[in-house]
Structures are given as C-alpha cells and as structure tokens.
C-alpha cells in the first residue's frame, strides 16, 4: 500500500491504471450500498468509490470511515460518463474504484469546518496545522516556495553567493526595538535578534565577497498590523563596485522573472521612476499606487493672493494647499459620504476639508465660495479641471500633514468606489529620499533610512549648512502602492561616516561603542557598495491577493504578537531565570 500517485494528478490519461493513493477523507457520501469518498492530499482531491460488489469486509470498513481520517486505497482509475464530468475540477473526469483500503489513522471531529472560508481567524491560527489542509492556504505555501526558488536561481545565475549571517548579535539602534536574548555565560549582558543583516552584509563587502544574498529571518519588536509581523523574512543582497543603475537592472530582471515563472505575466521594463518629492507632491505618498489617477492638484498658484484666512495663514507658514478631484463624485457623494470623507481625513491630521461640488448648471455647492474672488474661482476651475458633477476636496496644512491627508484620502476613495483595476501590476522606483529628517519638537536630526546611507556627492557639502535638502542615494521598489523593499548605496569611507554620525548627534565615543566593528572595517579599505532588501512575505501577499501577512506566513503571530497554537510567549521556570541571573519585575511584585 505504498502510494504510487497523488490524488490531484489523476487524469483521463490514467484510465485503467491500477493506483495506490494515500490522504485524508475530505468528504464521505453513502448512497445505500455505494460509498463515495473525496480523498485529498497536497495536490488536490479525487473521488474514490467503494461499490456494492467490493465485498462485505470492504463495505463494512467503508461504512466506518469518517471525515479527515487518514487512509490508503488501492484501485483502478475509471473515466466518468460525459454527463457526470465535473469540468470545474482538474480530476473531475475520473474516479477510482477501490479494491483494497487501509485505515492509517483516525481523527477526532474537527474544531471547525475546513471548507468554510468564514471561520474565525483566531480559530484557524489556534489549529494552524489543520488550516494547512485547506487548499487556499496550501496554494499560498506552494507559490511562496516557487518565488523563493526563482529568487535563488536568479541570484545564482548572476554570480551571487548565499551566505548566512548571525541570529545572535549586538544591539544597535536601527529604527525599531530589538528582541533581546539574555546571555547565561555573560550575566547581565544581552544578544539582540537581527532587525536586518545590514552591518554583516557590509562587512562581507569589506571582505571582498562582492555579491551576497540571503533569504534572511529578521525580528522587530514593534506594534503590529496587517502587513507587519514581529518575525519576518526578507530577500537581502549587497554588491560591490556598483551604482544605482546596477541595482535597478538586477531587481527589474528578478521581478520580471518571478512574474513570468510564477504568475505567467509579462511586465514591461525598465520600471518608471519618481523622486521622493515628486511622488509626495503627485500622490501624497512615497509608495504611490499608480494603477489609477486622481493625483493631487497644486492650488497654490490659484490661491497665492487669497485673503481667506485659512489659505493665507497656511501659505504664510510655508504650508501647502492642494486638492483631489473625484470625477463625477457628485452623482453618488451624499452629504453623509462627504462627512465620512472629512472624518477619514481627520484621522490623518486634517483640521477639516473644504469641499466643492459642481452642480448641473456649473455652479458650486461650497461653504468657501463666499471667501473667494471670481478670479480665484476661475483659477481653481481651470487648475483642477472642474466639470459638472465633480467633487473637489481641498486640504491646507504643513507639507507632511497635507501629503498624508490627501494621499490617504485618495486611496480610501479609490477603494470605496472600486476605482482600482484588478490584475494590474504597476512597479516603480522611488528615488532620492531625504538623507536626514528633523524632529519638529526636539529639532534633532535622524536618518530617514539608516546611518550608513550615502548622500549624493553633489550634496555632501550641505552636511553642516543645509541638512534638510541633502538627497540620499536611496531607493524603494514599489508595487501597486506597497513598498516591496528598499536600499541604498552605502557610505564606504570613514570620514564621511564620521560626518554622518556628527549630523545625527552621535559622539565619537558613542559611535565607537555602538558601531566600532563596522568603523574599523571601513578603515581597512572598504569598496564602494550598495544593496537592497525585499520583503518576501509582503511580495507573496501581493502576488496571491492575500489581505494580510498572516495568510502567507506558515506560522504567524496575532496582532498582539502571540502564537495561539503554541501559547507563546509564556512564563518560564524560576530555575531558568536563575540560570540567566534574571529576576523579573512581575516576580518581585508578586513577592
């Protein structure tokens, strides 16, 4: 009874073949002396029949079977009559007539219906090993494997070496909280789980390995959401003696190969490029979804002399005034709809929205008309291309809030009105990010990406005089409004790295304490180098159409960073804590 075929692979070409199948009973139907079983394995399922002439022993065994029991059957493949062919199933044209059956294992009743797509997610995560039996999840795991294999093949074809980097490492400031691991051998000291292999891959470049990649596990202790997990997988790479164009070319060929081999889709290359400020100005986002229009409209030229206090104060304070035009929106945008749009904008910092609805006679329904001159009305009409039934939503605020408000509102309305086309794959590069951003409260400067990102050579002399205008040699790869990954050309000389640390307010002593290993390495002749990291989980999520990373990660955590299946995190014994020289605050409180 050793399996000869997989259930989902049988076809009419297998007619009259004797086969042995093994799997789980997906369903069982008894029609009075004729038993139908749908037998499932990873490949799919096929119908197997226990017929009246099978003999009393086999019929008795068949009558005892229940769903999700594990069985093996030996039988002959038979083609179904044309009238009974199920064309919706790959195996719908065949069935297997059972001659022998063995029960491999019984199963207690399932905690949920495996065929019910509306089962509570917590229940499916609690029994994740049962959730894998559902074809929808299995297909995602298969596609994840195929993507990973394509990635490895591609980098091998381009002379990369796959090299593992440590999981236990040093805690360094990298933008998120570290997961810390106490050392038993060195009491009171800690390892950190890697947020990314950033420093190690740069050290590999100093070592002369030139082309590195890794399917790397990464860990960040941060608040979770649908597209974020505490542990995740990224496609990590680094290259020596290259510039941005080499990165773009390599990744475009990789994504083209993945789309072709995994999805059967041809995508055009090279990908479009937008610099950071153009992306923010046109879409209100540094990861714009370009599958639809409704771009942000700059109303500052039309309102530069406005006496309306809200607009005048905004411009006087260096803010922005702009809008999005919901074409034909007046046909469906009720007062309730517009209130909902306003409330959504306020979630992202808007104090309010000015709205203009163009009525059938071309006149405006708006609370701000009385504050505008005829010339300003005309200028807004021309600038925003206002037509009958359009709805214009205007925001006036600081550049950051203005972009956030209109960018999020643009996406919200597009999803709400089903404006975004399906089965369209819009890749693009966003480039030339700011190197440094300033905290509005503390006035301290922070690296937008990380402190090893190189500035444009033309902007290097601004490190002391005009830090806010320095462009980073950084780039993000975006797909359909989601950041797939990003990277940069790195700083490879110690003098520039020292200037960067100085701009970030990191003293020489502190830099040596936190980054001494990489500073020492740079001093031994580091080559020019750069790289990028792609979020593998996010890529699989997008290519499968999943709505959450939890759908494409084999064993994910919940939004509270817990595993319902293993009940982790969990307390540990006092003996374990004592070995680590740890006494917890929880323990002290209970005492």
């Amino acid at each position: 009874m050793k399996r000869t075929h997989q259930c989902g692979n049988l076809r009419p070409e297998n007619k009259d073949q004797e086969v042995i199948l093994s799997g789980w009973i997906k369903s069982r139907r008894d029609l009075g002396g004729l038993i139908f079983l749908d037998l499932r394995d990873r490949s799919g399922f096929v119908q197997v029949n226990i017929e009246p002439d099978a003999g009393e022993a086999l019929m008795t065994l068949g009558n005892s079977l229940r769903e999700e029991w594990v069985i093996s059957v030996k039988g002959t493949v038979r083609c179904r009559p044309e009238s009974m062919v199920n064309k919706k199933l790959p195996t719908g044209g065949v069935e297997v007539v059972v001659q022998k059956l063995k029960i491999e294992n019984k199963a207690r009743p399932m905690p949920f219906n495996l065929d019910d797509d509306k089962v509570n997610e917590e229940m499916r995560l609690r029994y994740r090993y049962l959730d894998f039996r559902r074809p929808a999840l299995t297909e995602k795991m298969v596609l994840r494997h195929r993507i990973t294999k394509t990635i490895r093949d591609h980098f091998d074809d381009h002379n990369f070496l796959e090299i593992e980097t440590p999981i236990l490492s040093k805690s360094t400031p990298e933008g998120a909280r570290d997961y810390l691991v106490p050392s038993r051998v060195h009491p009171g000291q800690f390892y950190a789980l890697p947020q990314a292999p950033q420093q190690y891959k740069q050290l590999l470049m100093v070592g002369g390995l030139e082309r590195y990649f890794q399917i790397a596990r990464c860990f960040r202790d941060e608040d979770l959401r649908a597209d974020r997990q505490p542990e995740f997988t990224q496609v990590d790479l680094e290259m020596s003696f290259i510039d941005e164009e080499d990165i773009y070319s390599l990744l475009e060929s990789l994504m083209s190969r993945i789309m072709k081999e995994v999805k059967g889709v041809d995508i055009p290359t090279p990908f479009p490029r937008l610099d950071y400020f153009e992306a923010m100005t046109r879409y209100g986002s540094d990861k714009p979804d370009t599958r639809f229009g409704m771009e942000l409209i700059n109303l500052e030229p039309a309102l530069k002399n406005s006496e309306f206090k809200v607009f005048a104060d905004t411009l006087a304070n260096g803010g922005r005034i702009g809008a999005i035009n919901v074409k034909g929106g007046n046909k469906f945008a009720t007062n309730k709809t517009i209130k909902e749009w306003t409330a959504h904008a306020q979630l992202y910092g808007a104090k309010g929205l000015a709205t203009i609805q163009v009525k059938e006679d071309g006149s405006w329904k708006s609370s701000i008309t009385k504050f505008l001159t005829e010339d300003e009305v005309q200028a807004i009409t021309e600038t925003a291309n206002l037509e009958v039934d359009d709805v214009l939503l205007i925001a006036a605020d600081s550049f950051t809030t203005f972009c956030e408000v209109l960018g999020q509102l643009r996406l919200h309305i597009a999803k709400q009105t089903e404006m975004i086309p399906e089965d369209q794959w819009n890749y693009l590069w966003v480039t030339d990010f700011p190197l440094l951003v300033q905290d509005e409260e503390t006035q301290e400067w922070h690296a937008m990406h990380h402190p090893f990102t190189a500035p444009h050579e033309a902007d290097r002399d601004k490190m002391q005089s005009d830090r806010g205008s320095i462009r980073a040699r950084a780039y993000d790869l975006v797909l359909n409004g989601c950041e797939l990954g990003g990277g940069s050309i790195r700083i490879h000389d110690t003098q520039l790295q020292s200037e960067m640390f100085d701009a970030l307010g990191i003293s020489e002593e502190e830099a040596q304490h936190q980054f001494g290993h990489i500073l020492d390495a740079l001093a031994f002749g580091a080559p020019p180098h750069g790289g990028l990291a792609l979020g593998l989980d996010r890529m699989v999520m997008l290519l499968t159409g999943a709505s959450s990373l939890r759908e494409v990660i084999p064993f994910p955590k919940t939004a509270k960073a817990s595993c319902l299946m293993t009940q982790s995190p969990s307390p540990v014994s006092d003996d374990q804590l004592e070995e680590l020289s740890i006494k917890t605050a929880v323990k002290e409180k209970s005492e």
Side-chain angles (χ1 to χ4, degrees):
M1 295 291 279
K2 184 177 181 181
R3 183 168 68 171
T4 61
H5 294 72
Q6 287 187 293
C7 299
N9 294 339
L10 294 181
R11 299 292 185 271
E13 301 86 76
N14 299 108
K15 179 184 176 183
D16 297 330
Q17 290 183 13
E18 187 175 82
V19 299
I20 298 175
L21 308 175
S22 297
W24 290 263
I25 300 173
K26 180 179 183 295
S27 64
R28 176 186 178 277
R29 302 179 298 283
D30 188 341
L31 301 184
L34 179 60
I35 300 173
F36 295 110
L37 305 173
D38 285 336
L39 190 63
R40 179 192 67 237
D41 61 18
R42 195 185 80 187
S43 66
F45 68 89
V46 68
Q47 180 176 293
V48 301
N49 305 344
I50 304 176
E51 301 189 339
D53 60 0
E56 184 178 351
L58 186 54
M59 288 300 296
T60 300
L61 193 59
N63 283 323
S64 73
L65 301 176
R66 295 295 180 266
E67 291 184 1
E68 298 305 319
W69 286 20
V70 186
I71 64 172
S72 294
V73 298
K74 181 178 182 180
T76 303
V77 179
R78 181 172 70 189
C79 289
R80 286 182 174 181
E82 185 63 31
S83 61
M84 298 180 65
V85 171
N86 186 344
K87 296 182 179 179
K88 295 181 180 179
L89 295 176
T91 59
V94 297
E95 56 194 14
V96 177
V97 181
V98 178
Q99 297 147 5
K100 185 178 180 182
L101 186 149
K102 178 185 178 184
I103 297 175
E104 305 285 3
N105 209 342
K106 297 180 180 181
R108 65 187 186 188
M110 294 295 104
F112 61 91
N113 185 348
L114 299 185
D115 291 327
D116 186 357
D117 291 332
K118 296 181 180 179
V119 174
N120 181 285
E121 185 186 45
E122 288 191 5
M123 178 67 75
R124 292 196 290 108
L125 292 179
R126 167 69 180 82
Y127 296 96
R128 188 64 162 185
Y129 46 85
L130 298 179
D131 201 25
F132 281 125
R133 297 184 190 177
R134 299 169 58 246
L137 185 56
T138 300
E139 289 167 7
K140 290 181 176 67
M141 294 302 107
V142 171
L143 186 136
R144 183 183 178 112
H145 159 74
R146 292 177 62 198
I147 289 174
T148 304
K149 181 181 182 304
T150 301
I151 289 168
R152 283 195 161 97
D153 290 344
H154 187 78
F155 285 127
D156 185 61
D157 290 345
H158 286 78
N159 201 30
F160 278 75
L161 301 177
E162 183 171 9
I163 301 174
E164 295 178 346
T165 53
I167 293 296
L168 298 177
S169 186
K170 181 183 177 69
S171 178
T172 57
E174 295 187 35
R177 285 183 294 272
D178 287 324
Y179 276 102
L180 299 176
V181 180
S183 170
R184 178 185 61 81
V185 178
H186 304 281
Q189 299 187 46
F190 295 82
Y191 299 104
L193 302 184
Q195 295 185 31
Q198 178 62 47
Q199 296 176 46
Y200 284 104
K201 64 183 181 180
Q202 289 191 249
L203 294 173
L204 291 172
M205 296 304 101
V206 177
L209 296 179
E210 295 196 11
R211 292 193 167 208
Y212 140 94
F213 88 98
Q214 181 182 188
I215 309 296
R217 296 292 286 166
C218 304
F219 309 84
R220 295 179 185 176
D221 185 7
E222 54 190 352
D223 295 333
L224 306 186
R225 56 193 185 204
D227 63 345
R228 182 183 286 171
Q229 281 277 299
E231 52 182 320
F232 56 96
T233 306
Q234 70 181 35
V235 182
D236 202 50
L237 66 104
E238 199 78 8
M239 305 162 67
S240 294
F241 307 112
I242 51 93
D243 59 21
E244 291 89 334
E245 295 300 327
D246 297 291
I247 298 286
Y248 300 154
S249 176
L250 176 74
L251 267 294
E252 287 169 6
S253 61
L254 171 64
M255 297 314 302
S256 295
R257 184 168 176 175
I258 289 173
M259 296 300 292
K260 183 64 175 178
E261 294 186 9
V262 176
K263 298 290 290 183
V265 174
D266 291 307
I267 56 173
T269 56
F271 298 160
R273 300 178 192 176
L274 291 175
D275 69 52
Y276 171 82
F277 285 104
E278 183 181 3
M280 297 297 288
T281 301
R282 289 176 58 186
Y283 299 99
S285 171
D286 59 4
K287 47 182 184 296
D289 191 336
T290 59
R291 290 175 294 173
F292 64 99
M294 202 160 65
E295 295 184 19
L296 277 57
I297 302 162
N298 181 13
L299 294 180
E300 291 166 34
L303 297 169
K304 60 184 178 182
N305 297 316
S306 176
E307 295 183 3
F308 181 34
K309 181 173 175 56
V310 173
F311 294 160
D313 288 351
T314 298
L315 294 177
N317 293 324
R320 304 294 298 270
I321 304 173
I324 53 175
N325 184 355
V326 185
K327 303 297 289 185
N330 209 30
K331 294 179 180 178
F332 58 83
T334 63
N335 288 338
K336 182 179 179 180
T337 304
I338 290 178
K339 286 181 180 179
E340 189 272 325
W341 289 349
T342 302
H344 190 81
Q346 289 172 332
L347 290 175
Y348 297 95
K351 300 177 181 67
L353 278 182
T355 62
I356 297 172
Q357 296 172 264
V358 184
K359 297 188 288 188
E360 288 186 5
D361 61 1
S363 62
W364 288 4
K365 178 184 177 182
S366 175
S367 61
I368 67 168
T369 307
K370 59 187 177 183
F371 300 109
L372 304 175
T373 66
E374 290 185 8
D375 287 343
E376 288 169 342
V377 169
Q378 183 63 31
I380 291 173
T381 299
E382 293 176 358
T383 302
N385 187 28
L386 280 181
E387 300 172 316
V388 171
D389 281 333
D390 288 353
V391 176
L392 194 70
L393 306 173
I394 304 174
D397 218 309
S398 66
F399 178 75
T400 302
T401 302
F402 161 85
C403 290
E404 181 77 359
V405 167
L406 289 187
Q408 291 293 340
L409 193 58
R410 173 180 178 267
L411 289 173
H412 177 69
I413 294 173
K415 292 174 183 176
Q416 192 178 66
T417 58
E418 299 182 346
M419 189 183 299
I420 305 174
E422 296 181 358
D423 298 323
Q424 185 170 318
W425 308 98
N426 281 25
Y427 288 87
L428 77 149
W429 291 102
V430 177
T431 67
D432 295 341
F433 285 80
L435 181 72
L436 302 166
V437 291
Q438 191 171 32
D439 187 289
E440 292 182 1
E441 294 183 4
T442 66
Q443 298 300 299
E444 294 177 345
W445 291 96
H446 303 281
M448 177 168 268
H449 287 81
H450 55 66
F452 309 109
T453 300
H456 276 265
E457 191 62 34
D459 294 343
R460 182 169 176 175
D461 60 355
K462 300 177 182 178
M463 291 295 283
Q464 298 298 328
S465 60
D466 191 12
R467 291 172 177 168
S469 67
I470 303 174
R471 295 165 298 160
R473 296 181 68 182
Y475 33 79
D476 280 356
L477 180 59
V478 176
L479 170 59
N480 292 352
C482 291
E483 178 195 332
L484 278 185
S488 66
I489 303 300
R490 322 301 188 188
I491 295 172
H492 68 277
D493 71 83
T494 53
Q495 178 56 39
L496 180 55
Q497 189 64 68
S498 176
E499 292 176 23
M500 181 67 166
F501 284 147
D502 182 62
L504 295 173
I506 299 175
S507 67
E508 185 175 341
E509 182 180 1
E510 186 180 0
Q512 193 62 41
H513 173 69
Q514 294 181 343
F515 306 107
H517 52 287
I518 196 166
L519 292 176
D520 287 346
L522 294 180
F524 284 107
H529 61 283
L532 178 138
L534 293 172
L536 179 63
D537 310 307
R538 189 168 298 179
M539 186 191 308
V540 178
M541 181 181 76
L542 291 173
L543 296 189
T544 59
S547 59
S548 165
L549 288 182
R550 292 188 293 274
E551 295 181 40
V552 299
I553 292 176
F555 297 100
K557 303 292 190 292
T558 67
K560 294 184 178 180
S562 62
C563 175
L564 299 179
M565 185 180 67
T566 61
Q567 300 297 304
S568 61
S570 60
V572 297
S573 69
D574 290 343
D575 289 343
Q576 288 174 286
L577 293 175
E578 188 174 343
E579 277 191 323
L580 295 168
S581 302
I582 290 176
K583 190 172 185 179
T584 67
V586 175
K587 179 73 174 176
E588 288 178 347
K589 187 175 180 180
S590 65
E591 291 174 350

